[in-house]
Amino acid sequence: SSIMKRIIILSLLCSGFGIVSCQNANSDKPMETNTKTKQPMETSYNKTDEEWKKTLTAEQYDILRKKGTEYPGTGKYNKHFEKGFYTCAGCGQELFSSDQKFDSHCGWPSFDGEIGGGNRVKKVPDYSHGMVRTEIVCARCGGHLGHIFDDGPTATGMRYCVNSLSLGFKPASGDSAKK
């Protein structure tokens, strides 16, 4: 009947909107790296592709240099709330403070700002996968970090959704380093 058709259509529409939220946060599969539409970032850190392969794990290389995405909820820093600084896994540059981190429940580490007032994380338009998003990359080495969204729950309204494999961590010094 027509009521049943409307319910089915409404259900499909709601499902579709949920899929694109937070880079498919509820998906059981990682976002596919499509080398035809997602070209590796130019190595601006004076390293060749072969040098990157020697200094990064295969998983880090896929994320940082090929713009891959790790499985949601599996990253080392997703539920990590120690005091300190999150660094680029490619070059070591400090990118985010633990004070900027929050639990967005999307499956990836999330931050509401960045260190350095915008000069350490570069924003790049991303039109891949049929979406319009803003990719974030390390301004020093060009490593892919993730994406930024304007749906954050904090005062900044921003949510830097970052792959754990793109990050390193430097604990704060002192006895009160744990949060």
Side-chain angles (χ1 to χ4, degrees):
S1 72
S2 80
I3 293 176
M4 187 58 124
K5 286 181 186 177
R6 288 181 185 173
I7 290 172
I8 291 171
I9 291 171
L10 184 60
S11 295
L12 290 172
L13 285 173
C14 289
S15 298
F17 289 123
I19 288 173
V20 297
S21 175
C22 197
Q23 296 185 359
N24 299 326
N26 295 322
S27 175
D28 290 332
K29 297 180 181 177
M31 186 175 289
E32 178 182 319
T33 301
N34 182 343
T35 55
K36 290 180 182 169
T37 59
K38 288 186 136 190
Q39 295 300 317
M41 179 62 62
E42 291 297 320
T43 51
S44 59
Y45 192 57
N46 296 324
K47 282 190 178 185
T48 66
D49 204 41
E50 289 307 311
E51 288 172 319
W52 281 118
K53 288 179 181 178
K54 288 178 185 175
T55 60
L56 300 171
T57 68
E59 294 83 8
Q60 286 174 319
Y61 179 81
D62 181 56
I63 306 271
L64 287 163
R65 308 314 305 169
K66 297 288 187 180
K67 303 183 183 196
T69 300
E70 65 195 5
Y71 284 98
T74 62
K76 177 179 182 178
Y77 298 116
N78 184 37
K79 300 286 185 185
H80 181 265
F81 290 98
E82 185 177 340
K83 285 281 195 186
F85 298 93
Y86 294 86
T87 62
C88 174
C91 68
Q93 176 167 246
E94 290 182 359
L95 302 171
F96 307 101
S97 162
S98 58
D99 294 334
Q100 297 166 316
K101 191 171 189 304
F102 67 95
D103 188 356
S104 68
H105 307 285
C106 73
W108 291 274
S110 296
F111 303 87
D112 67 0
E114 62 188 87
I115 295 172
N119 64 354
R120 297 184 188 201
V121 177
K122 185 177 175 183
K123 287 85 176 169
V124 180
D126 179 0
Y127 305 104
S128 64
H129 304 287
M131 294 181 265
V132 177
R133 301 179 292 176
T134 302
E135 177 188 13
I136 50 176
V137 300
C138 174
R140 182 191 285 170
C141 72
H144 172 75
L145 302 171
H147 290 86
I148 186 172
F149 302 95
D150 62 1
D151 62 1
T154 68
T156 68
M158 302 310 293
R159 178 172 53 97
Y160 291 69
C161 191
V162 183
N163 291 286
S164 285
L165 287 166
S166 296
L167 297 172
F169 183 75
K170 285 182 13 183
S173 57
D175 294 333
S176 61
K178 296 262 181 186
K179 198 177 197 180

